[in-house]
Amino acid sequence: MTTEAIAGRVRAGERVGFDEARALYLDAPTHLLGRLADEIRARRHPDRVVTYIIDRNVNYTNVCVARCSFCAFYRPVGSPDGYVLGFDEIFRKIDETIEVGGGQLLLQGGHNPDLPLEWYEDLFRTVKARYPSFRLHALSPPEVVHLARLSRLPVPVVIDRLIGAGLDSLPGGGAEILVDRVRRLLNCYTKATADEWIDVMRHAHRAGLRTTATMMYGSVETPEERLEHLFRLRALQDETHGFTAFIAWSYQPEHTELQGVEATGVDYLRTLATARIVLDNFENLQASWVTQGGKVGQLSLAFGANDMGSVMIEENVVRAAGASYCMDEIEIVANIEDAGFTPQRRNMHYERLGEPIFRQRAIARRFGLDVARADGDTTPAPELANYAPRSRAARQARGAVGPS
Ligand code: SF4
């Protein structure tokens, strides 16, 4: 079938199969892919509203045993640069988020063997007791797998316990590319296989949680493997309808073990448009301005995206790999309006919350993203004293074992 014939099927609202998606992705001119994706965006969101959320990406620890080769953020167990945030530091971050109109933390971190499931439960409960309406969008599927292994409990039990403590929704991080050949090459197969990632999401959806889905492309995968990733997401969404949105971002190579070259902006726009065509059961697609910058983020709105993601306030992971874009609410709104759309704040469930906050009250401008901790600050979190250390390094630090 020619790309024009496939385009005709997309325009008629028909579902594309793998070979048709492949033909479009590899052969269709970029303007055609953009036009098709924009038409789908217009059918789904005809009022030309583009949403965004005010929240904060908090990485509660950078200590991680997974050691993914594309990650510039983690520190090995026992590293002098390793940190775990104290509960008080997290409360301060929540207070600052509420001050600028935010209502949610996106809470993710490394796979730290010295943080048991109880630490997460205590944190979530304490947050909910202090801030009852504040939302916790927390723990990507590999973190849930890590907790299941650490606590020797089945994934559904871990999810139920986290929900019982206050978990509201799951971010779709750690998906990278949902193909095990790629995951082995990226050294992220052991943290969670493609099936394990999908399975956590299946259990989360069955337990009533809504989640997002992500894709990190541009490392070692083929175009066909990117498509396989999209088709796996589409199949699970057919089954559970639990995904609220899809977010694609490009691999950021700086300071990583894997190294390499970052994908181009055109590659990003083609990938985003193809995702909009394939993911015909996803309501929302986010623009990834954090990796692409504000202007490509704005262009994303013509390539299928209907959401500008997060105002964010803080970010640590992408910054560690060399990307340092920052937009406060004023700039995000300007980008949306300059592209001819109407901005609306939203929550994680994509319920619209109203006009921009800065048009209702004075908000200090922010020209840089905060970080989890100031460089070199490794003050121990006081709560760690409440949990038995598990790693040799932590036991040594507490004097539980002698130096080796
Ligand atoms: S991507 Fe996540 S799991 Fe992988 S090394 Fe970095 S912090 Fe650890």
Side-chain angles (χ1 to χ4, degrees):
M1 205 184 286
T2 64
T3 52
E4 271 307 326
I6 302 167
R9 293 198 52 210
V10 173
R11 287 200 161 106
E14 291 174 32
R15 173 167 271 201
V16 294
F18 189 92
D19 290 341
E20 293 163 316
R22 183 177 180 278
L24 283 179
Y25 191 33
L26 296 184
D27 300 331
T30 302
H31 64 82
L32 175 61
L33 273 180
R35 178 65 66 87
L36 293 174
D38 191 49
E39 286 170 7
I40 297 169
R41 195 269 318 144
R43 282 204 295 272
R44 284 194 173 271
H45 304 280
D47 59 4
R48 296 192 69 77
V49 165
V50 166
T51 47
Y52 63 94
I53 188 169
I54 303 174
D55 69 356
R56 181 168 191 148
N57 277 19
V58 172
N59 300 106
Y60 52 88
T61 181
N62 63 349
V63 174
C64 189
V65 291
R67 295 172 168 247
C68 307
S69 64
F70 58 84
C71 177
F73 167 71
Y74 82 89
R75 294 292 178 273
V77 175
S79 161
D81 299 330
Y83 73 81
V84 174
L85 294 180
F87 287 10
D88 276 344
E89 288 175 276
I90 295 174
F91 301 152
R92 185 175 42 75
K93 289 170 186 291
I94 293 175
D95 290 334
E96 290 169 3
T97 307
I98 292 170
E99 250 169 53
V100 294
Q104 168 177 288
L105 282 196
L106 196 174
L107 194 65
Q108 298 183 112
H111 300 187
N112 186 331
D114 294 308
L115 297 181
L117 180 56
E118 290 74 17
W119 180 87
Y120 296 83
E121 291 179 304
D122 291 344
L123 173 64
F124 291 4
R125 281 206 182 92
T126 319
V127 167
K128 288 292 180 170
R130 286 176 72 118
Y131 311 91
S133 60
F134 199 80
R135 301 286 183 92
L136 290 170
H137 183 48
L139 307 187
S140 61
E143 289 167 272
V144 174
V145 170
H146 165 73
L147 284 176
R149 289 174 185 159
L150 208 60
S151 55
R152 300 185 184 187
L153 291 169
V155 162
V157 174
V158 171
I159 291 173
D160 283 347
R161 280 182 56 172
L162 292 169
I163 292 173
L167 177 67
D168 291 297
S169 55
L170 232 59
E176 331 312 355
I177 294 287
L178 292 169
V179 175
D180 285 340
R181 184 196 79 87
V182 177
R183 302 185 77 77
R184 285 195 181 89
L185 288 173
L186 296 177
N187 197 37
C188 65
Y189 174 78
T190 48
K191 79 172 177 182
T193 64
D195 281 349
E196 282 173 323
W197 190 97
I198 290 281
D199 215 40
V200 170
M201 285 308 194
R202 181 180 286 114
H203 287 303
H205 295 165
R206 282 182 184 158
L209 295 180
R210 303 301 302 278
T211 79
T212 52
T214 67
M215 172 167 83
M216 184 198 75
Y217 70 92
S219 59
V220 297
E221 80 285 351
T222 63
E224 287 77 9
E225 286 166 335
R226 293 183 193 178
L227 291 171
E228 191 176 334
H229 178 99
L230 296 177
F231 277 82
R232 289 215 69 176
L233 295 178
R234 187 171 87 176
L236 183 62
Q237 182 74 328
D238 277 344
E239 186 186 323
T240 62
H241 308 287
F243 291 120
T244 54
F246 172 77
I247 311 131
W249 60 76
S250 57
Y251 161 58
Q252 304 292 308
E254 219 173 289
H255 308 306
T256 66
E257 184 190 323
L258 184 66
Q259 295 289 298
V261 181
E262 189 184 344
T264 64
V266 171
D267 194 0
Y268 172 70
L269 293 172
R270 292 183 65 86
T271 302
L272 180 71
T274 304
R276 183 60 287 176
I277 293 165
V278 171
L279 298 176
D280 57 359
N281 50 7
F282 276 64
E283 195 61 26
N284 303 292
L285 254 70
Q286 280 187 26
S288 177
W289 61 262
V290 181
T291 56
Q292 304 301 317
K295 294 308 163 204
V296 176
Q298 187 182 46
L299 207 49
S300 304
L301 303 179
F303 281 75
N306 64 293
D307 184 272
M308 278 295 262
S310 166
V311 169
M312 210 165 269
I313 306 168
E314 170 176 334
E315 204 288 325
N316 304 284
V317 176
V318 174
R319 176 207 303 255
S324 58
Y325 296 110
C326 170
M327 290 205 287
D328 64 3
E329 193 192 26
I330 291 177
E331 203 174 341
I332 284 192
V333 165
N335 272 295
I336 294 171
E337 291 181 335
D338 289 351
F341 293 92
T342 305
Q344 285 267 314
R345 282 178 297 119
R346 65 158 173 90
N347 59 19
M348 187 272 166
H349 289 89
Y350 284 77
E351 293 157 346
R352 293 177 186 177
L353 302 179
E355 298 287 304
I357 285 281
F358 73 87
R359 291 197 173 135
Q360 300 168 39
R361 59 183 159 92
I363 300 277
R365 297 239 31 201
R366 300 179 80 94
F367 298 103
L369 290 169
D370 286 354
V371 289
R373 279 254 179 105
D375 271 353
D377 179 358
T378 52
T379 312
E383 294 77 21
L384 289 183
N386 301 331
Y387 312 96
R390 196 165 176 278
S391 71
R392 184 172 182 82
R395 283 183 290 137
Q396 260 177 9
R398 301 232 209 129
V401 287
S404 52

